[in-house]
PDB file of all heavy atoms in Angstrom:
ATOM      1  N   VAL A  98      74.854  17.831  71.604  1.00 90.00           N
ATOM      2  CA  VAL A  98      74.057  18.201  72.784  1.00 90.00           C
ATOM      3  C   VAL A  98      74.335  19.655  73.184  1.00 90.00           C
ATOM      4  O   VAL A  98      73.426  20.404  73.526  1.00 90.00           O
ATOM      5  CB  VAL A  98      74.375  17.245  73.953  1.00 90.00           C
ATOM      6  CG1 VAL A  98      73.783  17.755  75.257  1.00 90.00           C
ATOM      7  CG2 VAL A  98      73.859  15.854  73.637  1.00 90.00           C
ATOM      8  N   ILE A  99      75.595  20.060  73.100  1.00 90.00           N
ATOM      9  CA  ILE A  99      75.918  21.437  73.491  1.00 90.00           C
ATOM     10  C   ILE A  99      75.410  22.436  72.453  1.00 90.00           C
ATOM     11  O   ILE A  99      75.001  23.544  72.780  1.00 90.00           O
ATOM     12  CB  ILE A  99      77.444  21.615  73.640  1.00 90.00           C
ATOM     13  CG1 ILE A  99      77.999  20.649  74.678  1.00 90.00           C
ATOM     14  CG2 ILE A  99      77.784  23.034  74.061  1.00 90.00           C
ATOM     15  CD1 ILE A  99      79.505  20.683  74.768  1.00 90.00           C
ATOM     16  N   LEU A 100      75.466  22.018  71.201  1.00 90.00           N
ATOM     17  CA  LEU A 100      75.174  22.987  70.142  1.00 90.00           C
ATOM     18  C   LEU A 100      73.723  23.459  70.142  1.00 90.00           C
ATOM     19  O   LEU A 100      73.447  24.579  69.731  1.00 90.00           O
ATOM     20  CB  LEU A 100      75.542  22.403  68.779  1.00 90.00           C
ATOM     21  CG  LEU A 100      77.043  22.477  68.503  1.00 90.00           C
ATOM     22  CD1 LEU A 100      77.392  21.801  67.207  1.00 90.00           C
ATOM     23  CD2 LEU A 100      77.516  23.921  68.481  1.00 90.00           C
ATOM     24  N   PHE A 101      72.802  22.632  70.607  1.00 90.00           N
ATOM     25  CA  PHE A 101      71.404  23.079  70.606  1.00 90.00           C
ATOM     26  C   PHE A 101      71.195  24.333  71.453  1.00 90.00           C
ATOM     27  O   PHE A 101      70.766  25.358  70.935  1.00 90.00           O
ATOM     28  CB  PHE A 101      70.477  21.937  71.039  1.00 90.00           C
ATOM     29  CG  PHE A 101      70.078  21.080  69.876  1.00 90.00           C
ATOM     30  CD1 PHE A 101      70.616  19.821  69.692  1.00 90.00           C
ATOM     31  CD2 PHE A 101      69.170  21.562  68.937  1.00 90.00           C
ATOM     32  CE1 PHE A 101      70.264  19.046  68.592  1.00 90.00           C
ATOM     33  CE2 PHE A 101      68.806  20.795  67.839  1.00 90.00           C
ATOM     34  CZ  PHE A 101      69.361  19.533  67.664  1.00 90.00           C
ATOM     35  N   PRO A 102      71.516  24.274  72.747  1.00 90.00           N
ATOM     36  CA  PRO A 102      71.312  25.503  73.531  1.00 90.00           C
ATOM     37  C   PRO A 102      72.184  26.661  73.040  1.00 90.00           C
ATOM     38  O   PRO A 102      71.772  27.822  73.105  1.00 90.00           O
ATOM     39  CB  PRO A 102      71.706  25.107  74.956  1.00 90.00           C
ATOM     40  CG  PRO A 102      72.479  23.854  74.828  1.00 90.00           C
ATOM     41  CD  PRO A 102      72.009  23.167  73.586  1.00 90.00           C
ATOM     42  N   ALA A 103      73.371  26.335  72.506  1.00 91.00           N
ATOM     43  CA  ALA A 103      74.247  27.417  72.043  1.00 91.00           C
ATOM     44  C   ALA A 103      73.607  28.143  70.872  1.00 91.00           C
ATOM     45  O   ALA A 103      73.608  29.378  70.810  1.00 91.00           O
ATOM     46  CB  ALA A 103      75.609  26.857  71.645  1.00 91.00           C
ATOM     47  N   THR A 104      73.051  27.380  69.948  1.00 91.00           N
ATOM     48  CA  THR A 104      72.420  28.000  68.793  1.00 91.00           C
ATOM     49  C   THR A 104      71.226  28.843  69.235  1.00 91.00           C
ATOM     50  O   THR A 104      71.018  29.960  68.763  1.00 91.00           O
ATOM     51  CB  THR A 104      71.967  26.913  67.801  1.00 91.00           C
ATOM     52  OG1 THR A 104      73.093  26.092  67.516  1.00 91.00           O
ATOM     53  CG2 THR A 104      71.436  27.518  66.529  1.00 91.00           C
ATOM     54  N   LYS A 105      70.474  28.300  70.180  1.00 89.00           N
ATOM     55  CA  LYS A 105      69.314  29.046  70.670  1.00 89.00           C
ATOM     56  C   LYS A 105      69.745  30.381  71.290  1.00 89.00           C
ATOM     57  O   LYS A 105      69.176  31.432  70.999  1.00 89.00           O
ATOM     58  CB  LYS A 105      68.576  28.196  71.722  1.00 89.00           C
ATOM     59  CG  LYS A 105      67.078  28.412  71.697  1.00 89.00           C
ATOM     60  CD  LYS A 105      66.389  27.461  72.654  1.00 89.00           C
ATOM     61  CE  LYS A 105      65.814  28.251  73.808  1.00 89.00           C
ATOM     62  NZ  LYS A 105      65.628  27.473  75.024  1.00 89.00           N
ATOM     63  N   ALA A 106      70.767  30.324  72.106  1.00 88.00           N
ATOM     64  CA  ALA A 106      71.238  31.557  72.752  1.00 88.00           C
ATOM     65  C   ALA A 106      71.739  32.556  71.719  1.00 88.00           C
ATOM     66  O   ALA A 106      71.557  33.761  71.865  1.00 88.00           O
ATOM     67  CB  ALA A 106      72.341  31.235  73.756  1.00 88.00           C
ATOM     68  N   LEU A 107      72.338  32.037  70.671  1.00 89.00           N
ATOM     69  CA  LEU A 107      72.872  32.930  69.649  1.00 89.00           C
ATOM     70  C   LEU A 107      71.737  33.630  68.906  1.00 89.00           C
ATOM     71  O   LEU A 107      71.787  34.836  68.652  1.00 89.00           O
ATOM     72  CB  LEU A 107      73.746  32.138  68.673  1.00 89.00           C
ATOM     73  CG  LEU A 107      74.599  32.998  67.752  1.00 89.00           C
ATOM     74  CD1 LEU A 107      75.620  33.760  68.574  1.00 89.00           C
ATOM     75  CD2 LEU A 107      75.299  32.147  66.711  1.00 89.00           C
ATOM     76  N   ILE A 108      70.709  32.862  68.587  1.00 89.00           N
ATOM     77  CA  ILE A 108      69.555  33.461  67.896  1.00 89.00           C
ATOM     78  C   ILE A 108      69.001  34.598  68.744  1.00 89.00           C
ATOM     79  O   ILE A 108      68.746  35.701  68.261  1.00 89.00           O
ATOM     80  CB  ILE A 108      68.463  32.392  67.651  1.00 89.00           C
ATOM     81  CG1 ILE A 108      68.974  31.371  66.639  1.00 89.00           C
ATOM     82  CG2 ILE A 108      67.168  33.037  67.168  1.00 89.00           C
ATOM     83  CD1 ILE A 108      68.070  30.192  66.438  1.00 89.00           C
ATOM     84  N   ASN A 109      68.880  34.321  70.040  1.00 86.00           N
ATOM     85  CA  ASN A 109      68.360  35.328  70.950  1.00 86.00           C
ATOM     86  C   ASN A 109      69.216  36.597  70.950  1.00 86.00           C
ATOM     87  O   ASN A 109      68.701  37.709  70.879  1.00 86.00           O
ATOM     88  CB  ASN A 109      68.290  34.724  72.354  1.00 86.00           C
ATOM     89  CG  ASN A 109      67.972  35.754  73.403  1.00 86.00           C
ATOM     90  OD1 ASN A 109      67.011  36.497  73.251  1.00 86.00           O
ATOM     91  ND2 ASN A 109      68.785  35.818  74.441  1.00 86.00           N
ATOM     92  N   SER A 110      70.535  36.416  70.951  1.00 84.00           N
ATOM     93  CA  SER A 110      71.371  37.617  71.077  1.00 84.00           C
ATOM     94  C   SER A 110      71.370  38.423  69.787  1.00 84.00           C
ATOM     95  O   SER A 110      71.742  39.577  69.778  1.00 84.00           O
ATOM     96  CB  SER A 110      72.790  37.241  71.510  1.00 84.00           C
ATOM     97  OG  SER A 110      73.554  36.884  70.390  1.00 84.00           O
ATOM     98  N   TYR A 111      70.961  37.811  68.688  1.00 84.00           N
ATOM     99  CA  TYR A 111      70.925  38.555  67.433  1.00 84.00           C
ATOM    100  C   TYR A 111      69.594  39.236  67.182  1.00 84.00           C
ATOM    101  O   TYR A 111      69.414  39.891  66.166  1.00 84.00           O
ATOM    102  CB  TYR A 111      71.283  37.631  66.260  1.00 84.00           C
ATOM    103  CG  TYR A 111      72.746  37.724  65.927  1.00 84.00           C
ATOM    104  CD1 TYR A 111      73.691  37.174  66.779  1.00 84.00           C
ATOM    105  CD2 TYR A 111      73.187  38.395  64.799  1.00 84.00           C
ATOM    106  CE1 TYR A 111      75.037  37.285  66.506  1.00 84.00           C
ATOM    107  CE2 TYR A 111      74.532  38.503  64.513  1.00 84.00           C
ATOM    108  CZ  TYR A 111      75.457  37.950  65.368  1.00 84.00           C
ATOM    109  OH  TYR A 111      76.791  38.063  65.097  1.00 84.00           O
ATOM    110  N   ASP A 112      68.653  39.063  68.088  1.00 83.00           N
ATOM    111  CA  ASP A 112      67.320  39.613  67.860  1.00 83.00           C
ATOM    112  C   ASP A 112      67.253  41.060  68.344  1.00 83.00           C
ATOM    113  O   ASP A 112      66.825  41.344  69.452  1.00 83.00           O
ATOM    114  CB  ASP A 112      66.304  38.738  68.593  1.00 83.00           C
ATOM    115  CG  ASP A 112      64.922  39.349  68.535  1.00 83.00           C
ATOM    116  OD1 ASP A 112      64.661  40.157  67.627  1.00 83.00           O
ATOM    117  OD2 ASP A 112      64.115  39.022  69.419  1.00 83.00           O
ATOM    118  N   THR A 113      67.674  41.994  67.491  1.00 77.00           N
ATOM    119  CA  THR A 113      67.700  43.393  67.929  1.00 77.00           C
ATOM    120  C   THR A 113      66.447  44.147  67.506  1.00 77.00           C
ATOM    121  O   THR A 113      66.372  45.359  67.644  1.00 77.00           O
ATOM    122  CB  THR A 113      68.923  44.112  67.335  1.00 77.00           C
ATOM    123  OG1 THR A 113      68.965  43.828  65.936  1.00 77.00           O
ATOM    124  CG2 THR A 113      70.189  43.640  67.973  1.00 77.00           C
ATOM    125  N   GLU A 114      65.438  43.432  67.008  1.00 80.00           N
ATOM    126  CA  GLU A 114      64.216  44.084  66.533  1.00 80.00           C
ATOM    127  C   GLU A 114      63.431  44.729  67.687  1.00 80.00           C
ATOM    128  O   GLU A 114      63.582  44.358  68.837  1.00 80.00           O
ATOM    129  CB  GLU A 114      63.302  43.041  65.882  1.00 80.00           C
ATOM    130  CG  GLU A 114      63.944  42.276  64.751  1.00 80.00           C
ATOM    131  CD  GLU A 114      64.000  43.066  63.466  1.00 80.00           C
ATOM    132  OE1 GLU A 114      62.933  43.286  62.890  1.00 80.00           O
ATOM    133  OE2 GLU A 114      65.111  43.492  63.071  1.00 80.00           O
ATOM    134  N   GLU A 115      62.588  45.657  67.319  1.00 83.00           N
ATOM    135  CA  GLU A 115      61.568  46.208  68.223  1.00 83.00           C
ATOM    136  C   GLU A 115      62.116  46.680  69.556  1.00 83.00           C
ATOM    137  O   GLU A 115      61.728  46.206  70.616  1.00 83.00           O
ATOM    138  CB  GLU A 115      60.468  45.152  68.473  1.00 83.00           C
ATOM    139  CG  GLU A 115      59.615  44.980  67.245  1.00 83.00           C
ATOM    140  CD  GLU A 115      58.670  43.792  67.380  1.00 83.00           C
ATOM    141  OE1 GLU A 115      58.383  43.392  68.526  1.00 83.00           O
ATOM    142  OE2 GLU A 115      58.225  43.289  66.349  1.00 83.00           O
ATOM    143  N   SER A 116      62.996  47.637  69.490  1.00 87.00           N
ATOM    144  CA  SER A 116      63.537  48.146  70.735  1.00 87.00           C
ATOM    145  C   SER A 116      62.689  49.321  71.230  1.00 87.00           C
ATOM    146  O   SER A 116      61.982  49.961  70.455  1.00 87.00           O
ATOM    147  CB  SER A 116      64.963  48.621  70.491  1.00 87.00           C
ATOM    148  OG  SER A 116      64.960  49.602  69.484  1.00 87.00           O
ATOM    149  N   ASP A 117      62.782  49.586  72.534  1.00 91.00           N
ATOM    150  CA  ASP A 117      62.081  50.750  73.106  1.00 91.00           C
ATOM    151  C   ASP A 117      62.963  51.983  73.065  1.00 91.00           C
ATOM    152  O   ASP A 117      62.481  53.091  72.906  1.00 91.00           O
ATOM    153  CB  ASP A 117      61.698  50.450  74.554  1.00 91.00           C
ATOM    154  CG  ASP A 117      60.809  49.229  74.641  1.00 91.00           C
ATOM    155  OD1 ASP A 117      59.832  49.164  73.886  1.00 91.00           O
ATOM    156  OD2 ASP A 117      61.115  48.321  75.443  1.00 91.00           O
ATOM    157  N   ILE A 118      64.247  51.780  73.287  1.00 93.00           N
ATOM    158  CA  ILE A 118      65.160  52.920  73.333  1.00 93.00           C
ATOM    159  C   ILE A 118      66.377  52.573  72.494  1.00 93.00           C
ATOM    160  O   ILE A 118      66.887  51.450  72.563  1.00 93.00           O
ATOM    161  CB  ILE A 118      65.617  53.184  74.787  1.00 93.00           C
ATOM    162  CG1 ILE A 118      64.419  53.577  75.638  1.00 93.00           C
ATOM    163  CG2 ILE A 118      66.693  54.264  74.834  1.00 93.00           C
ATOM    164  CD1 ILE A 118      64.772  53.782  77.080  1.00 93.00           C
ATOM    165  N   ASP A 119      66.835  53.509  71.693  1.00 94.00           N
ATOM    166  CA  ASP A 119      68.050  53.286  70.904  1.00 94.00           C
ATOM    167  C   ASP A 119      69.138  54.226  71.398  1.00 94.00           C
ATOM    168  O   ASP A 119      68.914  55.423  71.527  1.00 94.00           O
ATOM    169  CB  ASP A 119      67.792  53.593  69.421  1.00 94.00           C
ATOM    170  CG  ASP A 119      66.834  52.578  68.816  1.00 94.00           C
ATOM    171  OD1 ASP A 119      66.622  51.534  69.456  1.00 94.00           O
ATOM    172  OD2 ASP A 119      66.302  52.846  67.719  1.00 94.00           O
ATOM    173  N   ILE A 120      70.297  53.672  71.655  1.00 95.00           N
ATOM    174  CA  ILE A 120      71.403  54.497  72.116  1.00 95.00           C
ATOM    175  C   ILE A 120      72.608  54.248  71.226  1.00 95.00           C
ATOM    176  O   ILE A 120      72.996  53.100  71.006  1.00 95.00           O
ATOM    177  CB  ILE A 120      71.763  54.169  73.578  1.00 95.00           C
ATOM    178  CG1 ILE A 120      70.560  54.455  74.468  1.00 95.00           C
ATOM    179  CG2 ILE A 120      72.980  54.978  74.028  1.00 95.00           C
ATOM    180  CD1 ILE A 120      70.758  54.071  75.899  1.00 95.00           C
ATOM    181  N   GLN A 121      73.154  55.327  70.722  1.00 95.00           N
ATOM    182  CA  GLN A 121      74.368  55.174  69.929  1.00 95.00           C
ATOM    183  C   GLN A 121      75.578  55.308  70.828  1.00 95.00           C
ATOM    184  O   GLN A 121      75.713  56.288  71.562  1.00 95.00           O
ATOM    185  CB  GLN A 121      74.416  56.219  68.816  1.00 95.00           C
ATOM    186  CG  GLN A 121      75.638  56.018  67.933  1.00 95.00           C
ATOM    187  CD  GLN A 121      75.768  57.086  66.881  1.00 95.00           C
ATOM    188  OE1 GLN A 121      74.772  57.630  66.404  1.00 95.00           O
ATOM    189  NE2 GLN A 121      76.999  57.398  66.532  1.00 95.00           N
TER     190      GLN A 121
END
Side-chain angles (χ1 to χ4, degrees):
Chain A
V98 169
I99 302 174
L100 281 176
F101 273 106
T104 306
K105 214 175 111 204
L107 193 65
I108 292 173
N109 171 51
S110 84
Y111 265 72
D112 173 23
T113 49
E114 303 282 290
E115 288 171 22
S116 58
D117 301 311
I118 296 177
D119 292 345
I120 299 175
Q121 183 184 329

